[in-house]
Amino acid sequence: MERRRRVPNPLALAVLAWLMWEPMHPYELGRRLKQTGQDKLIRYTRSSLYMVIEQLARAGFVAAQETVRDTARPERTVYAITDEGRHEVLDWLRSLLAQPRQEHPHFAVALSLLSLLPPDEAVEVLRRRSAALAGRIEETRTTIDEARADGVGWIFLVEEQYALALLEAERRFVTELIESLKQPDYAKSWQETMGGRA
Amino acid sequence: MERRRRVPNPLALAVLAWLMWEPMHPYELGRRLKQTGQDKLIRYTRSSLYMVIEQLARAGFVAAQETVRDTARPERTVYAITDEGRHEVLDWLRSLLAQPRQEHPHFAVALSLLSLLPPDEAVEVLRRRSAALAGRIEETRTTIDEARADGVGWIFLVEEQYALALLEAERRFVTELIESLKQPDYAKSWQETMGGRA
DNA sequence: TCCTGGATAGTCAGTCCTGACTAAGGAGTG
DNA sequence: CACTCCTTAGTCAGGACTGACTATCCAGGA
């Protein structure tokens, strides 16, 4: 089985990957993450970026290289990846790709509690979701098309392509679900079992 | 926009939902979560269950009802949901269903770094993923069929149905991706750009 | 009878993470 | 020139979360 990573935060993976290219200071890393859209793939704040880099340094995956103060700005510490860090990225990456792990989408939890809502209300909120999903799908398609037009190689767009595939699958699912909820026998059985709640 | 929840942990939602039925002590809640498979939808440990209930109590969504010691076991505190808590579950549930939020699958991050691996290795790890996904799909189908055979209503299986839809979409995506990676021009362009790395 | 392992039930130290803050430079605007 | 807002860059207190631990009961085997 997969042994626990010393710095399990996915942000750490992205940081290590960027440091494979060249040493950088934390803020610069944040900028790269934003420019490449990876900030949308990973949930983090600027402070957690500093925290994670500290953890990586303690784990020996990166090392503080120098503290510079070129402008009158606060001094910046430049970090470089170590050999151990290089090994960690590749090992981690392989394991993430090879083994699907149990993901925990918030929506799944909400679905498991769907029976708490009256059928007509359930239909209504899911219609709103469906519309929002359509918007996201459109956005993602645009992002991909624009990047392709700018000459970005398809390999750097796989994660968008993946997001698109999931969004489309979810939209199909929600559409079917709405149809099921609209069946009159569902409304009836809901009344019978859930009629008496607060 | 969505205001931040006072106890944003998704475990809190499930806890509140169960307490809608009847008052319970934390360990019992854990048992129900496991029995209904919700433990696979939410990442948590037993200690976080106690922590979250404490937070809910501080937020006024639940209230300690009594501390019983029927067996010679450690004493158990029974919690009941409050009116504020009842409101919170429904409000939260509606918002989770209506608004797709940016989910952060680990796999997406890994995909965005796929170019770090040599093409043949990428193909190999993704083949392993594809096989694992096939297994998961099979398992999920079995779970659904068995529950249906036991007379469980479809509404209590929607989350499994959703998981299945996502797994199938992911498998299609991975299959196509493997084909793209096998194209000789990808191997060539990878050599050119990534040939010189550690 | 003793021993082991598993289920029941909960606690806690220490690490992680977030939200809110500090501070300085530059760009635009009247 | 004064004012405001955005970007750059980083810190920090305090709350949240995890892994490891404690302790009891019961069933079954040797």
Side-chain angles (χ1 to χ4, degrees):
Chain A
M1 273 283 101
E2 165 84 349
R3 74 161 202 291
R4 304 104 201 85
R5 302 278 149 193
R6 295 220 260 138
V7 189
N9 192 323
L11 180 55
L13 180 67
V15 164
L16 289 175
W18 277 108
L19 292 183
M20 294 271 277
W21 289 120
E22 54 181 326
M24 263 175 254
H25 59 95
Y27 195 88
E28 174 66 21
L29 273 161
R31 195 159 21 201
R32 305 272 179 117
L33 291 175
K34 182 155 280 176
Q35 270 166 10
T36 55
Q38 281 179 316
D39 61 326
K40 279 177 289 179
L41 269 35
I42 307 170
R43 217 181 85 77
Y44 74 98
T45 59
R46 197 135 38 74
S47 22
S48 51
L49 184 56
Y50 288 91
M51 298 292 167
V52 159
I53 289 174
E54 231 170 73
Q55 292 166 44
L56 286 172
R58 273 207 300 280
F61 294 145
V62 305
Q65 216 182 29
E66 48 169 352
T67 299
V68 291
R69 171 162 226 148
D70 44 18
T71 62
R73 299 296 174 71
E75 55 179 27
R76 299 169 305 182
T77 304
V78 174
Y79 290 87
I81 194 167
T82 63
D83 282 341
E84 238 194 302
R86 249 177 279 270
H87 180 266
E88 176 73 2
V89 197
L90 294 178
D91 187 55
W92 194 355
L93 189 53
R94 282 187 205 105
S95 119
L96 279 176
L97 291 170
Q99 296 153 25
R101 44 188 65 254
Q102 184 76 34
E103 307 275 4
H104 303 277
H106 282 41
F107 184 49
V109 183
L111 281 177
S112 79
L113 301 175
L114 188 58
S115 60
L116 288 181
L117 292 184
D120 50 347
E121 210 185 326
V123 166
E124 196 235 307
V125 289
L126 287 173
R127 280 208 179 113
R128 287 205 273 143
R129 184 183 199 87
S130 183
L133 286 173
R136 292 264 184 117
I137 289 171
E138 202 41 57
E139 272 173 48
T140 311
R141 284 226 180 88
T142 310
T143 307
I144 293 174
D145 290 348
E146 284 177 1
R148 295 246 54 179
D150 286 358
V152 176
W154 65 268
I155 190 70
F156 300 110
L157 295 167
V158 260
E159 71 278 8
E160 295 290 342
Q161 217 77 61
Y162 175 64
L164 185 57
L166 291 194
L167 284 170
E168 285 173 336
E170 182 173 319
R171 184 145 142 90
R172 280 193 298 274
F173 171 82
V174 170
T175 306
E176 282 175 40
L177 178 53
I178 290 173
E179 286 313 305
S180 305
L181 292 170
K182 283 201 301 196
Q183 299 305 310
D185 33 333
Y186 176 63
K188 227 179 89 193
S189 72
W190 187 87
Q191 269 304 330
E192 281 158 22
T193 54
M194 305 293 273
R197 86 277 173 241
Chain B
M1 272 282 102
E2 164 83 349
R3 74 160 202 291
R4 303 105 205 84
R5 302 279 150 193
R6 295 222 259 136
V7 189
N9 192 323
L11 179 54
L13 180 68
V15 164
L16 289 175
W18 277 107
L19 292 183
M20 294 273 276
W21 288 120
E22 54 180 328
M24 262 175 256
H25 59 96
Y27 195 88
E28 175 66 20
L29 273 161
R31 196 159 22 202
R32 306 271 179 117
L33 291 176
K34 181 155 283 177
Q35 269 166 12
T36 56
Q38 280 178 317
D39 62 325
K40 279 177 288 178
L41 268 36
I42 307 171
R43 217 180 85 78
Y44 74 98
T45 59
R46 197 137 38 75
S47 20
S48 51
L49 184 54
Y50 287 91
M51 300 290 169
V52 159
I53 290 175
E54 231 170 74
Q55 291 166 44
L56 286 171
R58 272 206 301 278
F61 294 145
V62 305
Q65 216 184 28
E66 47 171 353
T67 299
V68 294
R69 170 163 227 147
D70 45 18
T71 63
R73 300 295 175 71
E75 55 178 27
R76 300 168 306 182
T77 304
V78 174
Y79 290 88
I81 194 166
T82 63
D83 283 341
E84 237 194 304
R86 249 178 280 270
H87 180 266
E88 175 75 1
V89 196
L90 293 178
D91 187 56
W92 194 355
L93 189 52
R94 282 186 204 105
S95 119
L96 278 177
L97 290 170
Q99 296 152 25
R101 44 187 65 257
Q102 184 77 33
E103 309 274 4
H104 303 277
H106 282 42
F107 184 50
V109 183
L111 280 177
S112 79
L113 301 175
L114 188 58
S115 60
L116 288 181
L117 292 184
D120 49 348
E121 211 186 325
V123 167
E124 197 235 307
V125 289
L126 287 173
R127 279 207 179 115
R128 288 205 272 143
R129 184 183 200 87
S130 183
L133 286 172
R136 291 264 183 116
I137 289 171
E138 203 42 57
E139 272 173 48
T140 311
R141 286 225 179 88
T142 309
T143 306
I144 293 174
D145 291 347
E146 283 177 0
R148 296 247 52 179
D150 285 358
V152 176
W154 65 268
I155 190 70
F156 301 110
L157 294 167
V158 258
E159 72 276 10
E160 294 290 340
Q161 219 75 63
Y162 175 64
L164 185 57
L166 291 194
L167 283 170
E168 284 172 337
E170 181 173 321
R171 183 146 142 91
R172 280 193 298 275
F173 170 82
V174 170
T175 306
E176 281 174 42
L177 178 54
I178 290 173
E179 285 314 305
S180 305
L181 292 170
K182 283 201 302 196
Q183 299 304 312
D185 34 333
Y186 177 63
K188 227 178 91 194
S189 74
W190 188 86
Q191 270 305 331
E192 280 159 23
T193 54
M194 305 292 272
R197 87 277 172 240

